């Protein structure tokens, strides 16, 4: 905490907001290569949660890099700052009473460790979308692999920048083996108890 920044004690707490919404609040963090299926699965999970009257919000590259983080590039330093800011935003959203879904490549182990520190270990569910790079490149959803191969994009994860695979993710999904519907059911099953409101 910075000197002379003294927190005010607000009357309504996170627990009370959570009780009002009738579910617990935490972060589902999707990590994996570009095109692995993070956004597709996060979107389907959010839809399923919404249908269960869970209050959610999804953070992804489109809504974060275009606004809050539009001054950041893809250098290692800027990637670290990108993830730190996203984790801080997610932390505020958890405090606000939401189940937050975040879909980011987030290639560095130390950055993912930092997310856990920011939101708290109990609030962090790590979902590794472990689709083989050959499949991601074949899909090339945004045409970025072709650009990276031709040298047009530098620092592209999996081609000319590293991806440090999670060591012990809470959930691991290979989308060449598991359909979107199956992925949703694996994730919902895993967080079923965690969604219970704090008593
Ligand atoms: P990311 O967010 O990881 O960059 P996207 O979700 O944008 O990836 O793209 C993944 C692509 O793979 C989509 O076009 C999606 O339709 C396709 N896909 C095929 N099978 C699956 C699956 N089982 N799970 C998720 N995505 C899949």
């Amino acid at each position: 905490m910075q000197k002379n920044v003294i927190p005010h004690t607000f009357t309504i707490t996170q627990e009370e907001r959570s009780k009002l919404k009738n579910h617990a609040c935490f972060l589902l963090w999707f990590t994996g290569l570009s095109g692995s299926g993070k956004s597709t699965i996060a979107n389907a999970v959010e839809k399923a949660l919404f249908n269960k009257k869970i209050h959610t919000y999804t953070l992804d590259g489109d809504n974060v890099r275009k606004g809050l983080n539009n001054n950041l590039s893809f250098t290692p330093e800027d990637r670290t700052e990108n993830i730190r800011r996203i984790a801080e935003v997610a932390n505020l959203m958890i405090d606000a009473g939401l189940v937050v879904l975040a879909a980011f490549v987030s290639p560095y182990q130390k950055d993912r460790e930092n997310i856990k520190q920011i939101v708290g270990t109990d609030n962090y569910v790590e979902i590794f979308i472990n689709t083989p790079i050959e499949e991601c490149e074949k899909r090339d959803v945004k045409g970025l692999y072709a650009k990276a191969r031709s040298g047009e994009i530098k620092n592209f994860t999996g081609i000319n920048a590293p991806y440090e695979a999670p060591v012990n993710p809470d959930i691991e999904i290979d989308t060449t083996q598991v359909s979107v519907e199956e992925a949703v059911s694996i994730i919902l099953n895993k967080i079923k108890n965690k969604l219970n409101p704090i008593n």
Side-chain angles (χ1 to χ4, degrees):
M1 179 88 50
Q2 283 175 1
K3 202 179 157 217
N4 294 336
V5 178
I6 293 131
H8 186 83
T9 307
F10 287 97
T11 312
I12 306 297
T13 63
Q14 199 272 338
E15 284 71 25
E16 281 162 316
R17 284 188 283 264
S18 172
K19 261 190 216 163
L20 184 70
K21 291 188 160 57
N22 205 28
H23 59 78
C25 315
F26 49 88
L27 169 64
L28 297 175
W29 187 274
F30 295 78
T31 175
L33 295 172
S34 176
S36 59
K38 301 180 298 296
S39 305
T40 303
I41 295 171
N43 181 49
V45 170
E46 182 172 34
K47 204 167 143 200
L49 290 172
F50 185 90
N51 289 339
K52 290 177 184 292
K53 299 196 174 8
I54 307 289
H55 301 74
T56 57
Y57 192 76
T58 299
L59 294 164
D60 75 355
D62 287 343
N63 59 23
V64 174
R65 280 220 179 247
K66 285 191 182 137
L68 177 70
N69 289 356
N70 69 4
N71 62 333
L72 299 177
S73 69
F74 289 86
T75 61
E77 298 72 26
D78 276 9
R79 281 178 187 259
T80 295
E81 176 61 9
N82 180 48
I83 299 303
R84 186 193 69 79
R85 289 187 201 170
I86 294 160
E88 291 288 358
V89 170
N91 196 36
L92 291 174
M93 289 183 166
I94 293 169
D95 196 37
L98 303 179
V99 171
V100 185
L101 302 95
F104 295 92
V105 176
S106 47
Y108 301 126
Q109 180 68 31
K110 71 167 175 35
D111 291 350
R112 295 190 301 263
E113 275 304 315
N114 194 35
I115 307 164
K116 209 189 285 186
Q117 296 302 315
I118 290 169
V119 303
T121 307
D122 289 348
N123 288 333
Y124 179 73
V125 180
E126 189 168 82
I127 303 167
F128 178 23
I129 307 299
N130 189 8
T131 304
I133 187 158
E134 297 73 29
E135 174 67 17
C136 299
E137 191 165 0
K138 197 166 78 191
R139 290 177 187 167
D140 208 4
V141 192
K142 299 174 183 165
L144 299 176
Y145 283 92
K147 285 188 182 170
R149 288 284 182 205
S150 73
E152 197 184 317
I153 304 179
K154 310 262 183 300
N155 300 328
F156 193 75
T157 304
I159 305 294
N160 40 29
Y163 180 78
E164 298 169 5
V167 185
N168 193 17
D170 296 292
I171 302 168
E172 185 167 345
I173 289 164
D174 175 349
T175 64
T176 61
Q177 309 297 320
V178 171
S179 70
V180 177
E181 295 70 28
E182 286 166 339
V184 170
S185 113
I186 291 167
I187 294 166
L188 287 190
N189 202 35
K190 182 83 183 179
I191 63 171
K192 205 168 49 196
N193 295 333
K194 215 176 163 58
L195 281 168
N196 291 334
I198 302 149
N199 297 308

